[in-house]
């Protein structure tokens, strides 16, 4: 009987520890890494980037624009409801180089 209790307690503790594990997914790139990759000609479409909002332009010519890094602009037709200083993870959908700045459409993660 004691052996059965020990087995069940071991299983219970194991399940408890697994359930407490972190499900947080690490982004593929930081802002700096993404900018370096783009400057090196790499394609980051479909990748995730953790960005910090340096400037937020709600009425930009291309839509709601989040500016970050040296030359990164994340644009969307949907209001991302962010403020300067916020950190978020986005999935890059499409990237264009416009006069040395990168304009990217994205999906919030």
């Amino acid at each position: 009987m004691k052996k059965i209790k020990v087995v069940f307690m071991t299983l219970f503790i194991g399940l408890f520890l697994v359930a407490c594990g972190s499900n947080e997914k690490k982004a593929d790139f930081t802002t700096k890494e993404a900018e370096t990759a783009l400057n090196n000609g790499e394609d980051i479409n479909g990748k995730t980037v953790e960005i910090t909002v340096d400037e937020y332009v709600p009425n930009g010519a291309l839509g709601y624009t989040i500016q970050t890094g040296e030359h990164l602009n994340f644009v969307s037709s949907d209001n991302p409801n962010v403020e300067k200083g916020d950190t978020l993870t986005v999935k890059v959908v499409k990237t264009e180089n416009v006069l040395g700045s990168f304009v990217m459409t994205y999906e919030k993660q």
Side-chain angles (χ1 to χ4, degrees):
M1 188 70 165
K2 280 186 172 183
K3 288 183 181 180
I4 293 174
K5 283 184 180 179
V6 169
V7 169
F8 281 120
M9 285 301 292
T10 304
L11 288 173
F12 177 74
I13 291 171
L15 289 173
F16 179 76
L17 292 173
V18 169
C20 292
S22 175
N23 285 338
E24 190 173 319
K25 182 183 179 290
K26 186 180 181 307
D28 297 314
F29 295 99
T30 63
T31 300
K32 186 173 181 134
E33 292 169 340
E35 192 154 22
T36 299
L38 289 168
N39 286 329
N40 290 334
E42 293 179 40
D43 179 11
I44 67 167
N45 293 340
K47 302 292 185 182
T48 56
V49 182
E50 184 177 293
I51 63 173
T52 301
V53 179
D54 292 341
E55 291 294 327
Y56 173 59
V57 183
N59 55 354
L62 300 173
Y64 298 95
T65 305
I66 298 172
Q67 298 174 344
T68 188
E70 293 293 321
H71 302 287
L72 301 182
N73 300 282
F74 291 85
V75 298
S76 174
S77 58
D78 297 325
N79 188 344
N81 295 315
V82 296
E83 296 178 358
K84 185 176 182 176
D86 286 353
T87 300
L88 64 151
T89 302
V90 299
K91 181 178 180 181
V92 178
V93 174
K94 182 179 177 186
T95 306
E96 293 182 51
N97 186 338
V98 180
L99 301 173
S101 289
F102 295 98
V103 178
M104 292 165 274
T105 55
Y106 67 92
E107 297 172 355
K108 281 177 91 172
Q109 297 293 291

